[in-house]
Amino acid sequence: MADSAQVPTLVYLVTGGCGFLGEHIVRMLLEREPRLRELRVFDLHLSSWLEELKTEGAGPVQVTAIQGDVTQAHEVAAAMAGSHVVIHTAGLVDVFGKASPKTIHKVNVQGTRNVIDACVQTGTRFLVYTSSMEVVGPNTKGHPFYRGNEDTPYEAVHRHPYPCSKALAEQLVLEANGRKVNGGLPLVTCALRPTGIYGEGHQVMRDFYHQGLRFGGRLFRAVPASVEHGRVYVGNVAWMHVLVAQELEQRAALMGGQVYFCYDKSPYKSYEDFNMEFLNPCGIRLIGTHPLLPYWLLALLAALNALLQWLLRPLVLYTPLLNPYTLAVANTTFTVSTNKAQRHFGYKPLFSWEESRARTIHWVQTMEGSAR
Ligand SMILES: NC(=O)C1=CN([C@@H]2O[C@H](COP(=O)(O)OP(=O)(O)OC[C@H]3O[C@@H](n4cnc5c(N)ncnc54)[C@H](O)[C@@H]3O)[C@@H](O)[C@H]2O)C=CC1
Ligand SMILES: C[C@H](CCCC(C)(C)O)[C@H]1CC[C@H]2[C@@H]3[C@H](O)CC4=CC(=O)CC[C@]4(C)[C@H]3CC[C@]12C
């Protein structure tokens, strides 16, 4: 990257820039990357906030909205021509059976291959990829991953299309590190593995909140409180992406081809107890200190849901929250504890747990259809 302490010269492209995480990355770049000249936001569906940003909130930075599909190699290459850094966060996040395994593979794996090829073709040298903790686990055997780091041995066995696709895509990204791009310089890549992300705009939190309102302000415990699940605030995930993108040139030898868990100081709790940190102040209570239904019954219901999904598929898309995969993930301890990102590029969470919590609560309270 050119040394541009004073004059903004850099062109960034964010794929999936209109998604939950993508929007936070876009806003964080505008706030925290003074060298930015142009920010290209590439997404299948462009959001209306982007128009407001283009007219009001971007300051001197040119924000370019590009409606495009990562599965279309020519669209990706055209969008990327002339950019210095690409943050590839576009993905099909589906663990509920909304999309077919083929579509998930196409978007997550072929889409990533297209981004890498476009880097090579257009001479874009820096690629930051949003991977996922799901690349590691939880595995199908339900083995706990307790306070693990990037080097913790774990038997990663995937069957579900989403983690399979993220694992393949991450591998492509890491293997691409060092490939010569147009102009002869080496590509520098790195992958971030967020745990379960939460914060403003989180669709599953929205679903749980509305479910709680429908049940008269109550949710029923389904997962034992002893199962701990790693969570990270979206603002800190965005911050880590921005920081990596900024440091990748100076620390290419150290960071190139590396993976980093994406974490912060959010407390280790069960998925449901953690959600209650936000939903409780918004009038939702979690009923039961133990799961109301025994595990075997939940597993049976999850299997039934899977069967119903399959039977109904020709007629209607039935995608309940409970299925064998979500039940297994929610019931398996998976927490990370690492300082690799701090050691390699000085990452420290930008938002404290208290601030992350307050921001998320505020978002739930101001959500359309909220109890307040
Ligand atoms: N939500 C979570 O808890 C976690 C998410 N991740 C990863 O973070 C990334 C972002 O996830 P979220 O923001 O949660 O999902 P999201 O669904 O809110 O955002 C994904 C964005 O990608 C776009 N997109 C999808 N297919 C596309 C295509 N073919 N071409 C161009 N754009 C396309 C969507 O329109 C959307 O704006 C994904 O790669 C996901 O695998 C990783 C760990 C945890
Ligand atoms: C929806 C699940 C909780 C419902 C359980 C039930 C039905 C028993 O009440 C969510 C529990 C864990 C979530 C996943 C986890 O946070 C890791 C993820 C990482 C990603 O990359 C994408 C999202 C997800 C798979 C996330 C999805 C929802 C859960 C399965």
Side-chain angles (χ1 to χ4, degrees):
M1 269 178 272
D3 178 19
S4 44
Q6 301 303 320
V7 189
T9 53
L10 296 182
V11 178
Y12 271 61
L13 181 133
V14 181
T15 72
C18 292
F20 163 49
L21 171 60
E23 176 177 353
H24 286 266
I25 294 177
V26 164
R27 293 185 188 277
M28 186 67 73
L29 277 168
L30 291 172
E31 267 174 39
R32 304 247 165 197
E33 177 46 282
R35 301 169 305 166
L36 200 58
R37 174 168 61 82
E38 183 187 348
L39 179 52
R40 298 179 187 167
V41 182
F42 182 97
D43 204 298
L44 199 53
H45 308 288
L46 295 179
S47 305
S48 50
W49 57 262
L50 205 50
E51 278 310 308
E52 291 155 33
L53 200 68
K54 275 164 66 181
T55 48
E56 294 155 27
V61 179
Q62 182 192 333
V63 176
T64 311
I66 306 170
Q67 194 275 323
D69 184 343
V70 288
T71 68
Q72 303 303 311
H74 63 283
E75 293 184 11
V76 182
M80 256 162 71
S83 57
H84 299 93
V85 183
V86 56
I87 299 182
H88 176 41
T89 203
L92 199 44
V93 185
D94 181 19
V95 292
F96 305 113
K98 292 177 185 165
S100 71
K102 207 172 148 197
T103 308
I104 294 175
H105 183 91
K106 194 171 168 195
V107 175
N108 293 352
V109 183
Q110 187 55 44
T112 302
R113 197 175 278 127
N114 291 343
V115 170
I116 295 167
D117 290 346
C119 285
V120 173
Q121 206 180 315
T122 63
T124 302
R125 281 201 58 212
F126 302 99
L127 167 60
V128 184
Y129 172 62
T130 315
S131 182
S132 167
M133 78 177 211
E134 295 265 314
V135 161
V136 180
N139 62 21
T140 45
K141 297 179 176 175
H143 293 159
F145 187 84
Y146 183 77
R147 313 284 191 263
N149 63 34
E150 290 82 354
D151 299 317
T152 304
Y154 188 78
E155 197 185 335
V157 192
H158 304 300
R159 291 216 187 91
H160 194 279
Y162 174 73
C164 282
S165 70
K166 294 301 284 185
L168 283 171
E170 183 189 272
Q171 199 184 341
L172 290 176
V173 168
L174 302 181
E175 283 171 3
N177 183 61
R179 254 174 90 177
K180 293 274 181 297
V181 303
N182 192 359
L185 292 169
L187 178 62
V188 188
T189 68
C190 133
L192 303 187
R193 293 173 175 167
T195 54
I197 308 174
Y198 70 92
E200 305 94 301
H202 186 216
Q203 184 57 45
V204 183
M205 184 85 75
R206 205 179 264 146
D207 294 346
F208 273 111
Y209 179 58
H210 286 131
Q211 199 175 79
L213 289 181
R214 276 199 303 278
F215 291 153
R218 287 170 304 173
L219 284 170
F220 301 94
R221 187 184 292 278
V223 177
S226 56
V227 175
E228 291 183 348
H229 199 80
R231 302 294 290 272
V232 58
Y233 176 61
V234 66
N236 288 324
V237 182
W239 172 230
M240 198 190 263
H241 281 73
V242 171
L243 205 55
V244 167
Q246 285 174 341
E247 297 296 323
L248 216 44
E249 180 171 34
Q250 294 302 319
R251 302 176 195 230
L254 179 67
M255 294 170 62
Q258 293 289 321
V259 293
Y260 300 94
F261 276 123
C262 198
Y263 58 93
D264 61 15
K265 302 242 167 65
S266 302
Y268 304 112
K269 287 188 173 217
S270 80
Y271 194 78
E272 291 168 331
D273 285 299
F274 189 82
N275 286 352
M276 281 304 133
E277 290 281 349
F278 320 106
L279 299 184
N280 221 315
C282 301
I284 309 287
R285 280 181 311 134
L286 183 65
I287 307 296
T289 47
H290 297 285
L292 258 68
L293 300 178
Y295 183 79
W296 66 264
L297 188 53
L298 274 173
L300 192 70
L301 289 173
L304 198 67
N305 274 341
L307 180 68
L308 274 176
Q309 180 172 79
W310 182 74
L311 289 173
L312 294 174
R313 198 170 281 283
L315 303 169
V316 64
L317 206 53
Y318 175 61
T319 58
L321 276 182
L322 177 67
N323 65 43
Y325 181 75
T326 58
L327 183 65
V329 176
N331 268 282
T332 308
T333 286
F334 198 100
T335 54
V336 305
S337 174
T338 170
N339 62 3
K340 183 175 174 186
Q342 190 186 351
R343 282 186 283 113
H344 281 202
F345 53 93
Y347 166 76
K348 279 199 195 104
L350 193 60
F351 301 92
S352 66
W353 157 239
E354 289 72 23
E355 202 174 344
S356 308
R357 184 172 177 271
R359 283 172 171 250
T360 308
I361 292 171
H362 177 74
W363 169 72
V364 178
Q365 284 173 341
T366 52
M367 209 189 287
E368 204 183 313
S370 75
R372 295 170 186 235

